[in-house]
Structures are given as C-alpha cells and as structure tokens.
Amino acid sequence: MAHIWRETFSNIKYSGLVGGLSIVVVVLTAMMFGALLMIANYIHGELNVMKESPLVVAFLKDGLADSDRQLIWKEIKGLPQVRSTKYISKEDALRKTREMFASRAEILEGLEDTNPLPSSFEVELEPQFLDSAKEVAEKLKGLPGVEDTQYAEKTSEFVKKIETSLIFIGSILGLASIVIVCFSIMLTTYIRREEIRIMRLVGATGLFIRIPLLLQGVVQGFLGSVIGLAVLYGLLNLLAMQTGPASFLPLRQIALVVTGGAFMGFIAGAMPLRRLLKI
Amino acid sequence: MIQMYGVSMRYKEDIEVLHDVNMLVESGEFVFLMGSSGAGKTTVLRLLYHELIPSEGHVVVAGHNLSRIKTVQLPYFRRKLGIVFQDFKLLPNKTVAQNIAFPMRVTGIKRSEIRKNVERVLEWTSLTHRRNAFPEDISGGEQQRASIARAMVNNPLLILADEPTGNLDPELSLEIMRLFEQMNQQGTTVLVATHDISLVQRMKKRVIKLDGGKITEG
C-alpha cells in the first residue's frame, strides 16, 4: 500500500507542466461550476418567492351568499393544478390596499362605508402547473358567482423560462467540465505511455501500473476541486466586503463538486490505460 | 532457450519485415544477431519479448510458447528476461538506483534483498557513485550501463540487447560487451542485435546474419 501512494505522489510530482496544468484546469472548472451552482441557488431562491405568490385571483360578485362561496371554493380545490386557496374578504382587501398605500392614506379615506373592492379567492398553483395559470383563470371565470379573474401570465412564463435556461446552461457547462477535466487528466497519463511501456517490459503487472495512475487521477481531481472551491470562497468573501453578506454553497453541494472532481479524475485515469496496457 | 519456427512478420497487409525465419539459440550461448538497419533485428527482439505477435509461425522462449501465452502470464514471463535498449529507456523520474531496483520492486521482493542486489549490480557496472543521480544527469555510457544493470538485477535467464552500443564510442562499446560476456560466463544466455561488424569480429562469438528479413547465416 505504501508503494502505491509513494508511486502516486511521485507520478504527480514528476508529471511536470502537463500535470500542473491539468490541476489548474480542474481548479478553474471547479470554480466555474461552483459559481454556477451559487447563481442557480440564488435564482432558485428568488423563483421560490415568485412561486409562492398567488398566480390566479378570482374576484367574486358582491352580495354572494356563504353557500355559493363555499361551492366556488370546493370547485377551485377540486382542480388538479391547484395547490392552495385563500379567501380574501372585502374587508381584508381594503386592509391590504391600505397597507400598500400607507404613505398616501388620504386616498382611501371614507371607503369603509362604500368599500368598492370585491372579495376574492387567491389561488396558488402546483409548481409543475405554473404555465397553466391562463387555463385555470378561464375555468374560474366560467363559475357562477365569479365576476372576473386575473392571472400572472408574465410571472409564470418567466419562472418556466428561467428554470429551463438554468437546466440548459447547467447541462452544457456540466458536460464541458467533464470533457475538459477528463481530457487534461488523460493527457497526463498519455504523455507517460513510454514509461508505461517500459514498466510492462520489465515485468510489471497491469494492476501494479494501473492503481497508482488511477489514484493520480483521483488525487488531481480531488485536489483541483478543493483548491477551486477554496479560491471561490475567498473571492466571495472579498466581494462580500464590498456588497454585503453573500451565502456560499451548502455542504451537500461542496461534497458534490469535490466527489465529482475525484470521480472524473478516476474515469480520466482509467480511459487511456486500456489501450496502453495492451502491450 | 530460443526457438523460432517459420516466423514471418507483416506490418499492415503487404509490408513484410521478416520472412520464414527459423532460429535456435541454446541455453548459455552468446549470440550476435547481425544485420544492417532495416534488416529486421528489432522486430526479432520484439517478437522474443512478445511486444509483437508474428503473422505466421511460432516463437518459444525460455520454455514459453508465445503463441499460447495469456496476458496475465506475460509479466511473469518477462521477469525471466533482461531487455537492454539502444536508447536506454530509463525512467526519467527515478534515480539510477531506483531504475535498477524497479524490475525487482514490481515482483514484490523484500526491500532488504532488493537493496543487496542493487548494490551488487551498481558495483559490477561501476555506477555506485552515480546511484542517486537522475538519468538526464549522467553520460550516455553511464545510462547504458545503468540499463544493463537493470536488465541484470533479477538474474534473468536471457538477455536481449538491441543495438546496445549504437550511441557509444568504440572504447565504451567494448566495455559494454565485456559486461555481457561476464553475464554469459555466469550462465545467462545473451542475444545482442548489432550492425557493428568490427565489434562482432573482436568478440568472436556465434553470429546469426539477417538480411532483408531473412536469415542468411547462422
């Protein structure tokens, strides 16, 4: 076992410029991927706030009986796209409006007696049905007792677009990272093909050659991603001094980047060996 | 020790580098494989250490029929051989002593025994003072002696040397040949591929001549 680690670190030490560059590539890729995750986390947080705001509002006719209101409420709850429903009475609507215009309270003076604001149901949709806001709004408009509906068309489309874009960009960058890291580590092994040939010719078994080279890939991937995330953390702290506190990646995502780096190193170390060990 | 029966070797479809080669080298012999550049000497050696597989014919080395040898058996077969290359092929990231120790290390021999054997061959090749130097820091003659020491450290049954004096002056070439002769006197079979006719004449050993991929003498 001691031989394996000695051989692994000797390989890294003498892998020269290409070995050093491949670690730099892993460092930069880990930084880029970490930054992307941080941006995704931030956008995801913002989207959650958007998702939680009601997307469809059904305004009720004035003077509706409690039983009719109950019927509408049941109809809304029965729709598969609906996550939750909240009843806003005329009084609640006025109170909310007062809160919104707190600085211009005089505008709303005297409205208590002739409150013109309608009662309504605020409807929150399930996340997977965010693009169904229009459809739900039209259904609700057809219900007896519903005066009109409003839905956040732009919000639902925006949320959907952002999520699709994030998945798309993440997939491309993720794939690019895998290819770049794999190729740079493969190159470290490939430039040593003559050494591997000598090892074979003096009687080294496949395993004797393979294990240190695989470990070299794992160590390069691991070290590169740890250094990359550490640099990113440092940069984030520097930035936070200018702009205020910013949150780094959660532990689960740090583990994901580091394990991913080590795993890619393993795969990249294994790929060129199949051919080189055929001698 | 070496038997080749009807061996032909073709690269791609139509480039034939060896044609119907039959060769026999007995245990304990010292033989020169002579021929000009491109005669097929290196191909013969590569067939003997099974880096190449013949297009036709059979090769038997140290009791192993190489047509039937399995990949897992190959390292154990090669440990019976000592290979010396014209361009030395020392591992650049290892010192002279580490290079010489390498064939023993891969066999999992005890460290104390490795050290003893390395000291023995370092002394024998007059490289003790260069033990901690890296290959790029020593002369061509010293590199070739180090590669001979590496080939010898495992006490192989057969030494295969491919143009071992190709880059050396006549004085050093003779010195290297003396080392091979000493190994042979200890019982190791030696096959040296060379194009240096004057060296062959001075050594007065059996010669197998190769010309255009065919055996013409020996």
Side-chain angles (χ1 to χ4, degrees), chain B residues 60-126:
Chain B
V60 180
V61 179
H64 294 267
N65 184 343
L66 300 187
S67 324
R68 293 190 194 145
I69 200 162
K70 290 179 181 146
T71 314
V72 287
Q73 295 172 318
L74 210 51
Y76 305 98
F77 157 69
R78 284 180 178 149
R79 289 173 196 179
K80 294 179 180 174
L81 314 178
I83 306 170
V84 181
F85 303 93
Q86 180 181 359
D87 55 353
F88 326 126
K89 295 208 189 304
L90 296 169
L91 297 170
N93 60 344
K94 295 193 191 302
T95 64
V96 168
Q98 286 168 339
N99 262 290
I100 295 171
F102 192 69
M104 293 193 90
R105 275 192 37 224
V106 303
T107 59
I109 292 173
K110 275 198 292 186
R111 278 179 158 220
S112 57
E113 201 174 328
I114 295 175
R115 208 172 299 133
K116 205 170 71 187
N117 274 280
V118 170
E119 288 307 323
R120 176 177 60 82
V121 291
L122 275 172
E123 200 175 318
W124 176 63
T125 49
S126 314

Coordinates of all heavy atoms in Angstrom, one line a residue, chain B residues 60-126:
Chain B
V60 N 9.2 -19.8 -29.3 CA 9.2 -20.3 -28.0 C 10.5 -19.7 -27.3 O 11.6 -19.8 -27.8 CB 9.4 -21.9 -28.0 CG1 9.4 -22.5 -26.6 CG2 8.2 -22.5 -28.8
V61 N 10.2 -19.1 -26.1 CA 11.3 -18.5 -25.3 C 11.3 -19.0 -23.9 O 10.2 -18.9 -23.3 CB 11.2 -17.0 -25.4 CG1 12.3 -16.3 -24.6 CG2 11.3 -16.5 -26.8
A62 N 12.4 -19.5 -23.4 CA 12.5 -20.0 -22.0 C 11.4 -20.9 -21.6 O 10.8 -20.8 -20.6 CB 12.6 -18.8 -21.1
G63 N 11.0 -21.8 -22.6 CA 10.0 -22.8 -22.3 C 8.6 -22.3 -22.5 O 7.6 -23.1 -22.3
H64 N 8.4 -21.0 -22.9 CA 7.0 -20.5 -23.1 C 6.7 -20.4 -24.6 O 7.4 -19.7 -25.3 CB 6.9 -19.1 -22.5 CG 7.0 -19.0 -21.0 ND1 6.0 -19.1 -20.2 CD2 8.1 -18.9 -20.2 CE1 6.4 -19.0 -18.9 NE2 7.7 -18.9 -18.9
N65 N 5.7 -21.1 -25.0 CA 5.2 -20.9 -26.4 C 4.4 -19.6 -26.4 O 3.3 -19.6 -25.9 CB 4.3 -22.1 -26.8 CG 3.9 -22.1 -28.2 OD1 4.0 -21.0 -28.9 ND2 3.5 -23.2 -28.8
L66 N 5.0 -18.6 -27.1 CA 4.4 -17.3 -27.0 C 3.1 -17.2 -27.8 O 2.3 -16.2 -27.6 CB 5.4 -16.2 -27.5 CG 6.7 -16.2 -26.6 CD1 7.5 -15.0 -27.1 CD2 6.4 -16.1 -25.1
S67 N 2.8 -18.2 -28.7 CA 1.5 -18.1 -29.4 C 0.4 -18.4 -28.4 O -0.8 -18.1 -28.7 CB 1.5 -19.2 -30.5 OG 2.7 -19.3 -31.1
R68 N 0.7 -19.1 -27.3 CA -0.4 -19.5 -26.4 C -0.3 -18.8 -25.1 O -1.2 -19.1 -24.2 CB -0.2 -21.0 -26.1 CG -0.5 -21.9 -27.4 CD -0.6 -23.3 -27.0 NE -0.5 -24.1 -28.2 CZ 0.1 -25.3 -28.2 NH1 0.7 -25.8 -27.1 NH2 0.2 -26.0 -29.3
I69 N 0.6 -17.9 -24.9 CA 0.8 -17.2 -23.6 C -0.4 -16.3 -23.3 O -0.9 -15.6 -24.3 CB 2.1 -16.5 -23.5 CG1 2.4 -16.3 -22.0 CG2 2.1 -15.2 -24.3 CD1 3.9 -15.9 -21.8
K70 N -0.9 -16.3 -22.1 CA -2.1 -15.4 -21.8 C -1.5 -14.1 -21.2 O -0.4 -14.0 -20.7 CB -2.9 -16.1 -20.7 CG -3.7 -17.3 -21.3 CD -4.5 -17.9 -20.2 CE -5.2 -19.1 -20.7 NZ -5.4 -20.2 -19.8
T71 N -2.4 -13.0 -21.4 CA -2.0 -11.7 -21.0 C -1.5 -11.7 -19.5 O -0.6 -11.0 -19.1 CB -3.1 -10.7 -21.2 OG1 -3.6 -10.9 -22.5 CG2 -2.7 -9.3 -21.1
V72 N -2.2 -12.4 -18.6 CA -1.9 -12.4 -17.2 C -0.6 -13.1 -16.9 O 0.1 -12.8 -15.9 CB -3.0 -13.1 -16.3 CG1 -4.2 -12.2 -16.2 CG2 -3.4 -14.4 -16.8
Q73 N -0.1 -14.0 -17.9 CA 1.1 -14.7 -17.6 C 2.3 -13.9 -18.1 O 3.5 -14.1 -17.8 CB 1.1 -16.0 -18.4 CG 0.1 -17.0 -17.9 CD 0.0 -18.2 -18.8 OE1 0.0 -18.1 -20.0 NE2 -0.1 -19.4 -18.2
L74 N 2.0 -12.9 -19.0 CA 3.1 -12.1 -19.7 C 4.1 -11.4 -18.7 O 5.3 -11.6 -18.9 CB 2.4 -11.1 -20.6 CG 3.2 -10.7 -21.8 CD1 3.6 -11.9 -22.6 CD2 2.3 -9.8 -22.7
P75 N 3.6 -10.7 -17.7 CA 4.6 -10.1 -16.8 C 5.6 -11.1 -16.1 O 6.8 -10.9 -16.0 CB 3.7 -9.5 -15.7 CG 2.4 -9.3 -16.3 CD 2.3 -10.4 -17.3
Y76 N 5.0 -12.3 -15.8 CA 5.9 -13.3 -15.1 C 6.9 -13.9 -16.1 O 8.0 -14.2 -15.8 CB 5.0 -14.4 -14.5 CG 4.0 -13.8 -13.6 CD1 2.7 -13.5 -14.0 CD2 4.4 -13.4 -12.3 CE1 1.8 -12.8 -13.2 CE2 3.5 -12.7 -11.5 CZ 2.2 -12.4 -11.9 OH 1.3 -11.8 -11.1
F77 N 6.5 -14.0 -17.4 CA 7.4 -14.5 -18.5 C 8.5 -13.4 -18.6 O 9.7 -13.8 -18.7 CB 6.6 -14.7 -19.8 CG 7.5 -14.6 -21.0 CD1 8.4 -15.6 -21.3 CD2 7.4 -13.5 -21.9 CE1 9.2 -15.5 -22.4 CE2 8.2 -13.4 -23.0 CZ 9.1 -14.4 -23.3
R78 N 8.1 -12.2 -18.7 CA 9.1 -11.1 -18.9 C 10.1 -11.0 -17.8 O 11.2 -10.5 -18.0 CB 8.4 -9.8 -19.2 CG 7.8 -9.7 -20.6 CD 7.1 -8.5 -20.9 NE 6.6 -8.4 -22.3 CZ 5.5 -7.7 -22.6 NH1 4.9 -7.0 -21.7 NH2 5.1 -7.8 -23.9
R79 N 9.7 -11.4 -16.6 CA 10.7 -11.3 -15.5 C 11.8 -12.3 -15.6 O 12.8 -12.2 -14.9 CB 9.9 -11.6 -14.2 CG 9.0 -10.4 -13.8 CD 8.2 -10.7 -12.6 NE 7.1 -9.8 -12.5 CZ 6.1 -9.8 -11.6 NH1 6.2 -10.7 -10.6 NH2 5.2 -8.9 -11.6
K80 N 11.7 -13.2 -16.6 CA 12.8 -14.2 -16.8 C 13.8 -13.6 -17.8 O 14.8 -14.1 -18.1 CB 12.2 -15.5 -17.4 CG 11.4 -16.2 -16.4 CD 10.9 -17.5 -17.0 CE 10.0 -18.3 -16.0 NZ 9.4 -19.4 -16.7
L81 N 13.4 -12.4 -18.4 CA 14.2 -11.8 -19.4 C 14.9 -10.5 -18.9 O 14.4 -9.9 -18.0 CB 13.4 -11.4 -20.6 CG 12.4 -12.4 -21.2 CD1 11.7 -11.7 -22.4 CD2 13.1 -13.6 -21.7
G82 N 16.0 -10.1 -19.5 CA 16.6 -8.8 -19.2 C 16.7 -8.1 -20.6 O 17.3 -8.6 -21.5
I83 N 16.0 -6.9 -20.7 CA 16.0 -6.3 -22.0 C 16.8 -5.0 -21.9 O 16.7 -4.2 -21.0 CB 14.5 -5.9 -22.4 CG1 13.7 -7.2 -22.4 CG2 14.5 -5.3 -23.8 CD1 12.2 -6.9 -22.6
V84 N 17.7 -4.8 -22.9 CA 18.6 -3.6 -23.0 C 18.2 -2.9 -24.3 O 18.3 -3.5 -25.4 CB 20.1 -4.0 -22.9 CG1 20.9 -2.8 -23.0 CG2 20.4 -4.8 -21.7
F85 N 17.9 -1.7 -24.2 CA 17.5 -0.9 -25.4 C 18.6 0.0 -25.9 O 19.4 0.5 -25.0 CB 16.3 0.0 -25.1 CG 15.1 -0.8 -24.6 CD1 14.9 -1.0 -23.2 CD2 14.2 -1.4 -25.5 CE1 13.8 -1.7 -22.8 CE2 13.1 -2.1 -25.0 CZ 12.9 -2.3 -23.6
Q86 N 18.6 0.3 -27.2 CA 19.6 1.2 -27.7 C 19.5 2.6 -27.1 O 20.5 3.2 -26.7 CB 19.4 1.3 -29.2 CG 20.4 2.2 -29.9 CD 20.2 2.4 -31.4 OE1 19.3 1.7 -31.9 NE2 21.0 3.1 -32.1
D87 N 18.3 3.0 -26.9 CA 18.1 4.4 -26.3 C 17.8 4.3 -24.8 O 17.2 5.1 -24.2 CB 17.0 5.1 -27.0 CG 15.7 4.3 -27.0 OD1 15.7 3.2 -26.6 OD2 14.6 4.9 -27.4
F88 N 18.3 3.3 -24.2 CA 18.4 3.0 -22.7 C 17.0 2.9 -22.0 O 16.8 2.0 -21.2 CB 19.2 4.1 -22.0 CG 20.3 4.7 -22.7 CD1 20.5 6.0 -23.0 CD2 21.3 3.8 -23.3 CE1 21.6 6.5 -23.7 CE2 22.4 4.3 -24.0 CZ 22.5 5.6 -24.2
K89 N 16.1 3.8 -22.3 CA 14.7 3.7 -21.8 C 14.7 3.6 -20.2 O 14.1 2.8 -19.6 CB 13.9 2.6 -22.4 CG 13.7 2.7 -23.9 CD 12.4 2.0 -24.3 CE 12.3 2.0 -25.8 NZ 12.3 3.3 -26.4
L90 N 15.5 4.5 -19.6 CA 15.4 4.6 -18.2 C 14.3 5.5 -17.8 O 13.9 6.4 -18.5 CB 16.8 5.2 -17.6 CG 18.0 4.3 -17.9 CD1 19.3 5.1 -17.6 CD2 18.0 3.1 -17.1
L91 N 13.7 5.2 -16.6 CA 12.5 6.1 -16.2 C 13.1 7.4 -15.7 O 13.9 7.5 -14.8 CB 11.7 5.4 -15.1 CG 11.1 4.0 -15.5 CD1 10.5 3.3 -14.3 CD2 10.0 4.3 -16.5
P92 N 12.6 8.5 -16.3 CA 13.3 9.8 -16.0 C 13.0 10.3 -14.6 O 13.8 11.1 -14.1 CB 12.6 10.8 -17.1 CG 11.3 10.1 -17.5 CD 11.6 8.6 -17.3
N93 N 11.9 9.9 -14.0 CA 11.6 10.4 -12.6 C 12.2 9.5 -11.5 O 11.8 9.7 -10.4 CB 10.1 10.6 -12.5 CG 9.4 9.3 -12.7 OD1 9.9 8.3 -13.2 ND2 8.1 9.2 -12.2
K94 N 13.1 8.6 -11.9 CA 13.7 7.7 -10.9 C 15.2 7.9 -11.0 O 15.8 8.1 -12.1 CB 13.3 6.3 -11.1 CG 11.8 6.1 -10.9 CD 11.4 4.6 -10.8 CE 9.9 4.4 -10.9 NZ 9.2 5.1 -9.8
T95 N 15.9 7.7 -9.8 CA 17.3 7.8 -9.8 C 17.9 6.5 -10.4 O 17.1 5.5 -10.7 CB 17.8 7.9 -8.3 OG1 17.5 6.7 -7.7 CG2 17.3 9.1 -7.6
V96 N 19.2 6.5 -10.6 CA 19.9 5.3 -11.2 C 19.5 4.1 -10.3 O 19.1 3.0 -10.8 CB 21.4 5.5 -11.3 CG1 22.1 4.2 -11.6 CG2 21.7 6.6 -12.3
A97 N 19.7 4.2 -9.0 CA 19.4 3.1 -8.1 C 17.9 2.6 -8.2 O 17.6 1.4 -8.2 CB 19.8 3.4 -6.7
Q98 N 17.0 3.6 -8.3 CA 15.6 3.3 -8.3 C 15.3 2.6 -9.6 O 14.4 1.7 -9.7 CB 14.8 4.6 -8.2 CG 14.7 5.1 -6.7 CD 14.1 6.5 -6.6 OE1 14.1 7.2 -7.6 NE2 13.7 6.8 -5.4
N99 N 15.9 3.1 -10.7 CA 15.7 2.4 -12.0 C 16.1 1.0 -12.0 O 15.5 0.1 -12.5 CB 16.5 3.2 -13.1 CG 15.6 4.2 -13.9 OD1 14.7 3.8 -14.6 ND2 15.8 5.4 -13.6
I100 N 17.3 0.8 -11.4 CA 17.9 -0.6 -11.4 C 17.0 -1.5 -10.5 O 16.7 -2.7 -10.8 CB 19.3 -0.6 -10.9 CG1 20.2 0.2 -11.9 CG2 19.9 -2.0 -10.7 CD1 21.6 0.5 -11.4
A101 N 16.5 -0.9 -9.4 CA 15.6 -1.7 -8.5 C 14.3 -2.0 -9.0 O 13.6 -2.9 -8.6 CB 15.5 -0.9 -7.2
F102 N 13.8 -1.2 -10.0 CA 12.4 -1.3 -10.5 C 12.0 -2.7 -10.9 O 10.9 -3.1 -10.4 CB 12.2 -0.3 -11.6 CG 10.8 -0.1 -12.0 CD1 10.0 0.6 -11.1 CD2 10.3 -0.6 -13.1 CE1 8.6 0.7 -11.4 CE2 8.9 -0.5 -13.4 CZ 8.1 0.2 -12.6
P103 N 12.7 -3.5 -11.7 CA 12.2 -4.8 -12.1 C 12.1 -5.7 -10.8 O 11.2 -6.6 -10.8 CB 13.3 -5.3 -13.0 CG 14.0 -4.2 -13.5 CD 14.0 -3.1 -12.4
M104 N 12.8 -5.5 -9.8 CA 12.7 -6.3 -8.6 C 11.5 -5.8 -7.8 O 10.8 -6.6 -7.2 CB 13.9 -6.2 -7.7 CG 15.1 -6.8 -8.3 SD 16.5 -7.1 -7.1 CE 16.1 -8.7 -6.5
R105 N 11.3 -4.5 -7.8 CA 10.1 -3.9 -7.0 C 8.8 -4.4 -7.5 O 7.9 -4.7 -6.7 CB 10.2 -2.4 -7.0 CG 11.1 -1.8 -5.9 CD 10.9 -0.3 -5.7 NE 9.5 0.1 -5.9 CZ 9.1 1.1 -6.6 NH1 10.0 1.9 -7.2 NH2 7.9 1.4 -6.6
V106 N 8.7 -4.5 -8.8 CA 7.4 -5.0 -9.4 C 7.1 -6.4 -9.1 O 6.0 -6.9 -9.2 CB 7.3 -4.8 -10.9 CG1 7.6 -3.3 -11.3 CG2 8.3 -5.7 -11.7
T107 N 8.2 -7.2 -8.7 CA 7.9 -8.6 -8.3 C 7.6 -8.8 -6.9 O 7.3 -9.9 -6.4 CB 9.2 -9.4 -8.7 OG1 10.3 -8.9 -7.9 CG2 9.5 -9.4 -10.1
G108 N 7.6 -7.7 -6.1 CA 7.2 -7.7 -4.7 C 8.3 -8.4 -3.8 O 8.0 -8.9 -2.7
I109 N 9.6 -8.3 -4.2 CA 10.7 -8.9 -3.4 C 10.9 -8.0 -2.2 O 10.7 -6.7 -2.3 CB 11.9 -9.0 -4.3 CG1 11.7 -10.1 -5.3 CG2 13.2 -9.3 -3.4 CD1 12.8 -10.2 -6.4
K110 N 11.4 -8.5 -1.1 CA 11.7 -7.8 0.1 C 12.7 -6.7 -0.1 O 13.7 -6.9 -0.9 CB 12.2 -8.7 1.2 CG 11.1 -9.4 2.0 CD 11.7 -9.9 3.3 CE 12.6 -11.1 3.1 NZ 13.1 -11.7 4.3
R111 N 12.5 -5.5 0.6 CA 13.4 -4.4 0.4 C 14.8 -4.7 0.6 O 15.7 -4.2 -0.1 CB 12.9 -3.2 1.3 CG 11.8 -2.4 0.8 CD 11.4 -1.4 1.7 NE 10.7 -0.3 1.0 CZ 10.8 1.0 1.2 NH1 11.6 1.4 2.1 NH2 10.1 1.8 0.5
S112 N 15.1 -5.4 1.7 CA 16.5 -5.7 2.0 C 17.2 -6.5 0.9 O 18.3 -6.2 0.6 CB 16.5 -6.5 3.3 OG 15.8 -7.7 3.2
E113 N 16.4 -7.4 0.3 CA 17.0 -8.2 -0.8 C 17.2 -7.3 -2.0 O 18.2 -7.5 -2.7 CB 16.1 -9.4 -1.1 CG 16.8 -10.5 -1.8 CD 15.9 -11.7 -2.0 OE1 15.1 -12.0 -1.1 OE2 16.1 -12.4 -3.1
I114 N 16.3 -6.4 -2.3 CA 16.4 -5.5 -3.4 C 17.7 -4.7 -3.3 O 18.5 -4.6 -4.2 CB 15.2 -4.6 -3.6 CG1 13.9 -5.4 -3.9 CG2 15.4 -3.5 -4.6 CD1 12.6 -4.6 -3.9
R115 N 17.8 -4.1 -2.0 CA 19.0 -3.3 -1.8 C 20.3 -4.0 -2.0 O 21.2 -3.5 -2.6 CB 18.9 -2.8 -0.3 CG 19.6 -1.4 -0.2 CD 19.3 -0.8 1.2 NE 17.9 -0.6 1.5 CZ 17.3 -1.0 2.6 NH1 18.0 -1.6 3.6 NH2 16.0 -0.7 2.8
K116 N 20.3 -5.3 -1.5 CA 21.5 -6.1 -1.7 C 21.9 -6.3 -3.2 O 23.0 -6.1 -3.6 CB 21.3 -7.4 -1.0 CG 22.6 -8.1 -0.5 CD 22.2 -9.3 0.3 CE 21.6 -10.4 -0.5 NZ 21.2 -11.6 0.3
N117 N 20.8 -6.6 -3.9 CA 21.0 -6.9 -5.4 C 21.4 -5.6 -6.1 O 22.3 -5.7 -7.0 CB 19.8 -7.5 -6.0 CG 19.7 -9.0 -5.8 OD1 20.3 -9.7 -6.6 ND2 19.0 -9.4 -4.8
V118 N 20.8 -4.5 -5.8 CA 21.1 -3.3 -6.5 C 22.6 -2.9 -6.2 O 23.3 -2.5 -7.1 CB 20.1 -2.1 -6.0 CG1 20.6 -0.8 -6.5 CG2 18.7 -2.4 -6.5
E119 N 23.0 -3.0 -4.9 CA 24.4 -2.7 -4.6 C 25.3 -3.5 -5.4 O 26.3 -3.1 -5.9 CB 24.6 -2.9 -3.1 CG 24.0 -1.9 -2.2 CD 24.3 -0.5 -2.5 OE1 25.5 -0.2 -2.9 OE2 23.4 0.4 -2.4
R120 N 25.0 -4.8 -5.6 CA 25.8 -5.8 -6.3 C 26.0 -5.3 -7.8 O 27.1 -5.2 -8.3 CB 25.2 -7.2 -6.2 CG 25.9 -8.2 -7.0 CD 25.3 -9.6 -6.9 NE 23.9 -9.6 -7.3 CZ 23.5 -9.8 -8.5 NH1 24.3 -9.9 -9.5 NH2 22.2 -9.8 -8.8
V121 N 24.9 -5.0 -8.4 CA 25.0 -4.6 -9.9 C 25.5 -3.2 -10.1 O 26.2 -2.9 -11.1 CB 23.6 -4.8 -10.6 CG1 23.3 -6.3 -10.8 CG2 22.5 -4.0 -10.1
L122 N 25.3 -2.3 -9.1 CA 25.9 -1.0 -9.2 C 27.4 -1.1 -9.1 O 28.1 -0.4 -9.9 CB 25.4 -0.1 -8.0 CG 24.1 0.6 -8.1 CD1 23.7 1.2 -6.8 CD2 24.1 1.7 -9.2
E123 N 27.9 -2.0 -8.3 CA 29.3 -2.1 -8.1 C 29.9 -2.8 -9.4 O 30.9 -2.4 -10.0 CB 29.6 -3.0 -6.9 CG 31.0 -2.9 -6.4 CD 31.2 -3.7 -5.2 OE1 30.3 -3.7 -4.3 OE2 32.3 -4.4 -5.0
W124 N 29.2 -3.8 -9.9 CA 29.6 -4.5 -11.1 C 29.6 -3.6 -12.3 O 30.5 -3.8 -13.2 CB 28.6 -5.7 -11.3 CG 28.8 -6.5 -12.5 CD1 29.9 -7.2 -12.8 CD2 27.9 -6.6 -13.6 NE1 29.8 -7.9 -14.0 CE2 28.6 -7.5 -14.5 CE3 26.7 -6.1 -13.9 CZ2 28.0 -7.8 -15.7 CZ3 26.1 -6.5 -15.1 CH2 26.7 -7.3 -16.0
T125 N 28.7 -2.7 -12.4 CA 28.7 -1.8 -13.6 C 29.4 -0.4 -13.3 O 29.4 0.5 -14.1 CB 27.3 -1.4 -14.0 OG1 26.5 -1.1 -12.9 CG2 26.6 -2.6 -14.7
S126 N 30.1 -0.4 -12.1 CA 30.9 0.8 -11.7 C 30.0 2.1 -11.7 O 30.4 3.1 -12.2 CB 32.1 1.1 -12.7 OG 32.8 -0.1 -12.9

